[in-house]
């Protein structure tokens, strides 16, 4: 098991798949007042959880463990802000016969009947952090920057997809105005009609503002789905985007072929005659 796989197992230990997230997980996050990074810092998101910061150092080989034990203060830049500190190993054999510091807990991947919860080899004692407020502030800044980056990426994707829809719509209209005879398959016809309906509804009702593609796709899949978009948007968008992608690509190829058949310049009615 490599470090990426071990981190994935540890993440499932805190946040069960297909369930609301109960923990904020910050991998590879720099310490509040230094450059030393922790492999994972975790903090509860629920009111029922303790107000604690939990640090983790991941090791996947015996040599890594020995190197960590040779310099047990290496993690202090983060540990001083934490209420618990865990050494997470890929296999319990990695710590056999080793003297683990008293303030470290040790855990390993699930074993026996366990399928998600980590195996605790040595409980992590409760620590008395010197400056937990600095740790909380670091986590807050980290989460804020991460959210801003996600919004920027989503906005850029939406704008790019909206422009592509507008480009294809304009091309279709130009070819129609020129009288081009394009034999479209039922699937491509559906894609063309979709673009026309989008333009019509946006013009009449301004339903989607700047043309948010996620909302448009939700409406295509199921009108009722738009009312449940808050909790189903991700699943519906993924499904419909996957369904429409071949149609859009095929339509683009057909339009390119039609323009080529009409000559090197724009397609015109005179050239058809």
């Amino acid at each position: 098991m490599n470090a990426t796989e071990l981190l994935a197992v540890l993440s499932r230990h805190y946040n069960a798949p297909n369930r609301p997230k109960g923990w904020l997980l910050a991998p590879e996050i720099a310490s509040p007042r230094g450059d030393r990074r922790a492999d994972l810092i975790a903090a509860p998101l629920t009111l029922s959880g303790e107000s604690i910061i939990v640090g983790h150092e991941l090791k996947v080989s015996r040599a890594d463990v020995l190197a960590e034990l040779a310099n047990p203060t290496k993690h202090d830049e983060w540990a001083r802000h934490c209420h618990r500190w865990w050494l997470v190993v890929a296999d319990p054999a990695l710590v056999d016969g080793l003297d683990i510091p008293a303030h470290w807990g040790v855990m390993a991947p699930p074993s026996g009947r366990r399928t998600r919860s980590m195996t605790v080899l040595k409980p992590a004692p409760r620590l008395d952090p010197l400056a937990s407020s600095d740790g909380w502030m670091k986590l807050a800044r980290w989460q804020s920057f991460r959210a801003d980056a996600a919004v920027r990426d989503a906005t850029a994707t939406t704008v790019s997809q909206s422009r592509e829809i507008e480009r294809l719509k304009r091309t279709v209209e130009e070819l129609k105005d020129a009288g081009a005879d394009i034999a479209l398959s039922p699937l491509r016809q559906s894609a063309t009609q979709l673009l026309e309906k989008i333009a019509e509804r946006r013009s009449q009702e301004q339903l989607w503002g700047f043309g948010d593609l996620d909302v448009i796709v939700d409406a295509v899949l199921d009108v009722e789905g738009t009312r449940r978009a808050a909790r189903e948007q991700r699943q519906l968008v993924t499904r419909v985007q996957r369904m429409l992608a071949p149609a859009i690509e095929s339509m683009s190829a057909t339009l390119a072929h039609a323009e080529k058949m009409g000559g090197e310049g724009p397609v015109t009615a005179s050239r058809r005659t």
Side-chain angles (χ1 to χ4, degrees):
M1 180 179 293
N2 59 37
T4 300
E5 294 168 338
L6 183 58
L7 179 60
V9 172
L10 182 60
S11 298
R12 289 195 296 271
H13 167 77
Y14 283 105
N15 292 322
N18 303 319
R19 293 184 184 179
K21 293 186 181 300
W23 287 79
L24 169 66
L25 302 181
E28 289 295 326
I29 180 173
S31 61
R33 298 184 179 277
D35 297 326
R36 182 73 68 182
R37 293 180 179 273
D39 289 334
L40 181 71
I41 295 295
L45 296 172
T46 61
L47 294 177
S48 59
E50 295 181 272
S51 182
I52 59 174
I53 299 175
V54 184
H56 306 78
E57 188 71 21
L58 278 60
K59 300 300 176 185
V60 297
S61 71
R62 180 84 168 187
D64 287 343
V65 175
L66 293 174
E68 189 72 16
L69 293 175
N71 184 11
T73 63
K74 186 181 72 171
H75 66 281
D76 280 355
E77 284 190 18
W78 249 118
R80 70 180 60 184
H81 306 289
C82 296
H83 299 83
R84 284 192 174 86
W85 190 265
W86 290 95
L87 176 66
V88 184
V89 294
D91 190 297
L94 299 183
V95 293
D96 281 350
L98 298 180
D99 185 17
I100 305 298
H103 62 285
W104 293 10
V106 183
M107 66 169 68
S111 61
R113 294 184 178 181
R114 296 175 180 271
T115 58
R116 184 178 66 84
S117 298
M118 300 291 284
T119 301
V120 175
L121 305 178
K122 177 181 176 295
R126 179 69 178 246
L127 305 176
D128 186 16
L130 298 177
S132 63
S133 60
D134 289 342
W136 288 116
M137 183 63 70
K138 179 66 178 184
L139 286 172
R141 290 197 299 266
W142 179 88
Q143 180 69 354
S144 177
F145 292 150
R146 184 169 175 244
D148 288 345
V151 169
R152 287 195 300 271
D153 291 345
T155 300
T157 299
T158 298
V159 170
S160 176
Q161 292 174 333
S162 297
R163 288 174 177 171
E164 179 64 11
I165 285 180
E166 292 296 332
R167 186 188 69 80
L168 292 173
K169 181 177 69 68
R170 287 195 300 270
T171 303
V172 169
E173 292 300 327
E174 290 172 359
L175 289 173
K176 280 186 176 182
D177 292 343
D181 184 13
I182 305 175
L184 297 178
S185 70
L187 188 58
R188 291 197 293 270
Q189 288 177 2
S190 296
T192 302
Q193 292 169 1
L194 168 63
L195 297 176
E196 294 173 347
K197 289 294 183 182
I198 290 172
E200 179 182 349
R201 292 289 295 277
R202 286 175 61 189
S203 174
Q204 294 176 354
E205 304 179 24
Q206 297 184 352
L207 181 61
W208 294 305
F210 291 104
D212 187 331
L213 184 60
D214 288 348
V215 179
I216 294 173
V217 173
D218 279 345
V220 172
L221 181 65
D222 181 5
V223 172
E224 290 298 323
T226 61
R227 299 173 185 172
R228 303 188 302 269
R231 60 179 190 273
E232 297 180 359
Q233 182 175 355
R234 186 185 300 276
Q235 177 182 354
L236 297 181
V237 167
T238 300
R239 189 190 313 167
V240 177
Q241 284 180 331
R242 197 178 294 133
M243 179 182 68
L244 289 181
I248 292 178
E249 292 179 3
S250 178
M251 184 171 66
S252 297
T254 301
L255 295 177
H257 177 71
E259 291 178 336
K260 182 178 179 181
M261 294 297 294
E264 297 183 357
V267 177
T268 62
S270 62
R271 288 184 177 177
R272 287 180 63 254
T273 59

